[in-house]
Short mmCIF file of all heavy atoms in Angstrom, two decimals:
data_model
loop_
_atom_site.label_atom_id
_atom_site.label_comp_id
_atom_site.label_asym_id
_atom_site.label_seq_id
_atom_site.Cartn_x
_atom_site.Cartn_y
_atom_site.Cartn_z
N LEU W 218 -33.57 59.15 15.92
CA LEU W 218 -32.87 60.23 16.63
C LEU W 218 -33.86 61.32 17.05
O LEU W 218 -33.83 61.81 18.18
CB LEU W 218 -31.77 60.83 15.74
CG LEU W 218 -30.66 59.85 15.29
CD1 LEU W 218 -29.70 60.53 14.32
CD2 LEU W 218 -29.89 59.31 16.49
N LEU W 219 -34.75 61.69 16.12
CA LEU W 219 -35.72 62.75 16.41
C LEU W 219 -36.67 62.33 17.53
O LEU W 219 -36.97 63.10 18.43
CB LEU W 219 -36.52 63.09 15.15
CG LEU W 219 -35.71 63.77 14.03
CD1 LEU W 219 -36.52 63.83 12.74
CD2 LEU W 219 -35.30 65.18 14.45
N LYS W 220 -37.11 61.07 17.46
CA LYS W 220 -38.05 60.59 18.47
C LYS W 220 -37.39 60.56 19.85
O LYS W 220 -38.00 60.95 20.85
CB LYS W 220 -38.54 59.18 18.07
CG LYS W 220 -39.57 58.59 19.00
CD LYS W 220 -40.90 59.28 18.88
CE LYS W 220 -41.88 58.74 19.91
NZ LYS W 220 -43.21 59.32 19.76
N ALA W 221 -36.13 60.12 19.88
CA ALA W 221 -35.41 60.06 21.17
C ALA W 221 -35.28 61.46 21.77
O ALA W 221 -35.47 61.65 22.98
CB ALA W 221 -34.04 59.41 20.98
N VAL W 222 -34.97 62.45 20.92
CA VAL W 222 -34.85 63.83 21.41
C VAL W 222 -36.19 64.31 21.97
O VAL W 222 -36.26 64.88 23.06
CB VAL W 222 -34.36 64.76 20.28
CG1 VAL W 222 -34.53 66.23 20.67
CG2 VAL W 222 -32.91 64.46 19.95
N ALA W 223 -37.26 64.05 21.21
CA ALA W 223 -38.59 64.53 21.64
C ALA W 223 -38.98 63.90 22.98
O ALA W 223 -39.50 64.57 23.87
CB ALA W 223 -39.63 64.20 20.57
N LEU W 224 -38.71 62.59 23.13
CA LEU W 224 -39.07 61.91 24.38
C LEU W 224 -38.22 62.43 25.54
O LEU W 224 -38.74 62.69 26.63
CB LEU W 224 -38.88 60.40 24.23
CG LEU W 224 -39.90 59.69 23.32
CD1 LEU W 224 -39.52 58.21 23.14
CD2 LEU W 224 -41.32 59.80 23.88
N ALA W 225 -36.92 62.61 25.30
CA ALA W 225 -36.03 63.07 26.36
C ALA W 225 -36.42 64.47 26.83
O ALA W 225 -36.33 64.79 28.02
CB ALA W 225 -34.58 63.04 25.88
N LEU W 226 -36.87 65.30 25.89
CA LEU W 226 -37.20 66.69 26.25
C LEU W 226 -38.33 66.78 27.26
O LEU W 226 -38.45 67.77 27.99
CB LEU W 226 -37.56 67.48 24.99
CG LEU W 226 -36.36 67.93 24.15
CD1 LEU W 226 -36.83 68.46 22.81
CD2 LEU W 226 -35.55 68.99 24.89
N GLN W 227 -39.17 65.75 27.30
CA GLN W 227 -40.27 65.79 28.26
C GLN W 227 -39.76 65.88 29.69
O GLN W 227 -40.43 66.39 30.57
CB GLN W 227 -41.15 64.55 28.10
CG GLN W 227 -41.89 64.55 26.77
CD GLN W 227 -42.79 63.34 26.63
OE1 GLN W 227 -42.32 62.21 26.57
NE2 GLN W 227 -44.08 63.58 26.58
N ARG W 228 -38.53 65.39 29.91
CA ARG W 228 -37.95 65.45 31.26
C ARG W 228 -37.01 66.64 31.43
O ARG W 228 -36.42 66.81 32.49
CB ARG W 228 -37.23 64.13 31.57
CG ARG W 228 -38.22 62.97 31.66
CD ARG W 228 -37.54 61.68 31.98
NE ARG W 228 -36.69 61.78 33.16
CZ ARG W 228 -35.86 60.83 33.56
NH1 ARG W 228 -35.77 59.72 32.87
NH2 ARG W 228 -35.12 60.99 34.63
N PHE W 229 -36.82 67.40 30.35
CA PHE W 229 -35.93 68.57 30.43
C PHE W 229 -36.62 69.79 29.83
O PHE W 229 -36.21 70.30 28.78
CB PHE W 229 -34.61 68.27 29.69
CG PHE W 229 -33.81 67.21 30.36
CD1 PHE W 229 -34.05 65.86 30.10
CD2 PHE W 229 -32.82 67.54 31.28
CE1 PHE W 229 -33.33 64.87 30.75
CE2 PHE W 229 -32.09 66.55 31.92
CZ PHE W 229 -32.35 65.21 31.66
N PRO W 230 -37.66 70.26 30.51
CA PRO W 230 -38.46 71.36 29.94
C PRO W 230 -37.64 72.64 29.76
O PRO W 230 -38.02 73.49 28.94
CB PRO W 230 -39.57 71.56 30.99
CG PRO W 230 -39.06 70.92 32.23
CD PRO W 230 -38.17 69.79 31.81
N GLU W 231 -36.53 72.78 30.48
CA GLU W 231 -35.73 74.01 30.35
C GLU W 231 -34.99 74.10 29.01
O GLU W 231 -34.34 75.10 28.74
CB GLU W 231 -34.74 74.15 31.52
CG GLU W 231 -33.63 73.12 31.55
CD GLU W 231 -33.94 71.89 32.40
OE1 GLU W 231 -35.03 71.29 32.21
OE2 GLU W 231 -33.12 71.52 33.24
N LEU W 232 -35.08 73.04 28.20
CA LEU W 232 -34.45 73.10 26.88
C LEU W 232 -35.47 73.31 25.77
O LEU W 232 -35.11 73.46 24.60
CB LEU W 232 -33.68 71.80 26.61
CG LEU W 232 -32.54 71.47 27.59
CD1 LEU W 232 -31.96 70.10 27.29
CD2 LEU W 232 -31.46 72.54 27.52
N ASN W 233 -36.76 73.26 26.12
CA ASN W 233 -37.81 73.26 25.12
C ASN W 233 -38.77 74.43 25.34
O ASN W 233 -39.63 74.37 26.22
CB ASN W 233 -38.58 71.92 25.22
CG ASN W 233 -39.62 71.77 24.14
OD1 ASN W 233 -39.31 71.86 22.95
ND2 ASN W 233 -40.87 71.54 24.54
N GLY W 234 -38.60 75.48 24.57
CA GLY W 234 -39.49 76.63 24.74
C GLY W 234 -38.85 77.88 24.16
O GLY W 234 -37.95 77.80 23.31
N PHE W 235 -39.31 79.03 24.64
CA PHE W 235 -38.85 80.31 24.09
C PHE W 235 -38.33 81.24 25.18
O PHE W 235 -38.90 81.31 26.27
CB PHE W 235 -40.00 81.03 23.36
CG PHE W 235 -40.60 80.22 22.25
CD1 PHE W 235 -41.95 79.91 22.27
CD2 PHE W 235 -39.83 79.79 21.18
CE1 PHE W 235 -42.51 79.16 21.24
CE2 PHE W 235 -40.37 79.05 20.14
CZ PHE W 235 -41.72 78.74 20.17
N PHE W 236 -37.28 81.97 24.88
CA PHE W 236 -36.81 83.04 25.76
C PHE W 236 -37.25 84.35 25.14
O PHE W 236 -36.77 84.75 24.08
CB PHE W 236 -35.28 82.99 25.88
CG PHE W 236 -34.74 83.89 26.96
CD1 PHE W 236 -34.53 83.40 28.23
CD2 PHE W 236 -34.47 85.22 26.70
CE1 PHE W 236 -34.03 84.22 29.23
CE2 PHE W 236 -33.99 86.06 27.69
CZ PHE W 236 -33.77 85.55 28.97
N ARG W 237 -38.23 85.00 25.80
CA ARG W 237 -38.78 86.24 25.25
C ARG W 237 -38.91 87.27 26.35
O ARG W 237 -39.31 86.93 27.46
CB ARG W 237 -40.19 85.98 24.69
CG ARG W 237 -40.18 85.46 23.27
CD ARG W 237 -41.62 85.36 22.78
NE ARG W 237 -41.68 84.70 21.50
CZ ARG W 237 -42.58 83.79 21.16
NH1 ARG W 237 -43.50 83.42 22.03
NH2 ARG W 237 -42.58 83.26 19.96
N ASP W 238 -38.64 88.51 26.02
CA ASP W 238 -38.80 89.63 26.96
C ASP W 238 -38.14 89.33 28.30
O ASP W 238 -38.72 89.54 29.37
CB ASP W 238 -40.29 89.94 27.18
CG ASP W 238 -40.99 90.22 25.87
OD1 ASP W 238 -40.36 90.85 25.00
OD2 ASP W 238 -42.16 89.80 25.69
N GLY W 239 -36.94 88.80 28.25
CA GLY W 239 -36.18 88.59 29.47
C GLY W 239 -36.58 87.41 30.31
O GLY W 239 -36.10 87.26 31.43
N ALA W 240 -37.47 86.55 29.81
CA ALA W 240 -37.89 85.40 30.61
C ALA W 240 -38.08 84.17 29.72
O ALA W 240 -38.38 84.30 28.54
CB ALA W 240 -39.19 85.72 31.34
N PHE W 241 -37.91 83.02 30.35
CA PHE W 241 -38.10 81.76 29.62
C PHE W 241 -39.50 81.22 29.85
O PHE W 241 -39.98 81.18 30.97
CB PHE W 241 -37.06 80.72 30.07
CG PHE W 241 -37.29 79.36 29.48
CD1 PHE W 241 -37.11 79.14 28.12
CD2 PHE W 241 -37.68 78.29 30.28
CE1 PHE W 241 -37.33 77.89 27.56
CE2 PHE W 241 -37.89 77.03 29.73
CZ PHE W 241 -37.72 76.83 28.37
N GLN W 242 -40.13 80.80 28.76
CA GLN W 242 -41.41 80.10 28.89
C GLN W 242 -41.23 78.71 28.31
O GLN W 242 -40.92 78.56 27.12
CB GLN W 242 -42.52 80.80 28.09
CG GLN W 242 -42.72 82.26 28.41
CD GLN W 242 -42.77 83.11 27.15
OE1 GLN W 242 -42.79 82.61 26.03
NE2 GLN W 242 -42.80 84.43 27.34
N ALA W 243 -41.41 77.69 29.15
CA ALA W 243 -41.33 76.32 28.66
C ALA W 243 -42.56 76.03 27.80
O ALA W 243 -43.63 76.58 28.03
CB ALA W 243 -41.27 75.35 29.84
N ALA W 244 -42.39 75.20 26.78
CA ALA W 244 -43.51 74.85 25.92
C ALA W 244 -44.15 73.55 26.41
O ALA W 244 -43.47 72.68 26.94
CB ALA W 244 -43.04 74.68 24.48
N ALA W 245 -45.47 73.45 26.22
CA ALA W 245 -46.18 72.26 26.69
C ALA W 245 -45.91 71.06 25.79
O ALA W 245 -45.88 69.92 26.24
CB ALA W 245 -47.68 72.55 26.75
N LYS W 246 -45.71 71.33 24.51
CA LYS W 246 -45.46 70.23 23.57
C LYS W 246 -44.09 70.39 22.94
O LYS W 246 -43.51 71.47 22.98
CB LYS W 246 -46.52 70.23 22.48
CG LYS W 246 -47.88 69.83 23.01
CD LYS W 246 -48.90 69.73 21.90
CE LYS W 246 -50.20 69.19 22.48
NZ LYS W 246 -51.30 69.39 21.56
N VAL W 247 -43.60 69.31 22.34
CA VAL W 247 -42.31 69.37 21.66
C VAL W 247 -42.56 69.53 20.15
O VAL W 247 -42.90 68.58 19.46
CB VAL W 247 -41.48 68.10 21.93
CG1 VAL W 247 -40.13 68.21 21.22
CG2 VAL W 247 -41.29 67.88 23.42
N HIS W 248 -42.43 70.76 19.68
CA HIS W 248 -42.51 71.00 18.24
C HIS W 248 -41.07 71.03 17.73
O HIS W 248 -40.36 72.03 17.89
CB HIS W 248 -43.21 72.32 17.94
CG HIS W 248 -44.63 72.37 18.46
ND1 HIS W 248 -45.50 71.33 18.30
CD2 HIS W 248 -45.31 73.33 19.14
CE1 HIS W 248 -46.67 71.65 18.85
NE2 HIS W 248 -46.58 72.85 19.38
N LEU W 249 -40.67 69.91 17.16
CA LEU W 249 -39.26 69.70 16.83
C LEU W 249 -38.91 70.35 15.50
O LEU W 249 -39.33 69.88 14.45
CB LEU W 249 -39.05 68.18 16.75
CG LEU W 249 -37.77 67.58 17.25
CD1 LEU W 249 -37.47 68.02 18.68
CD2 LEU W 249 -37.87 66.06 17.19
#
Side-chain angles (χ1 to χ4, degrees):
Chain W
L218 299 175
L219 292 169
K220 183 71 185 184
V222 167
L224 289 174
L226 282 169
Q227 293 181 295
R228 294 181 52 189
F229 294 84
E231 67 267 51
L232 299 174
N233 185 56
F235 302 122
F236 191 93
R237 275 185 188 138
D238 305 322
F241 173 68
Q242 306 131 7
K246 291 185 174 165
V247 181
H248 300 315
L249 217 52

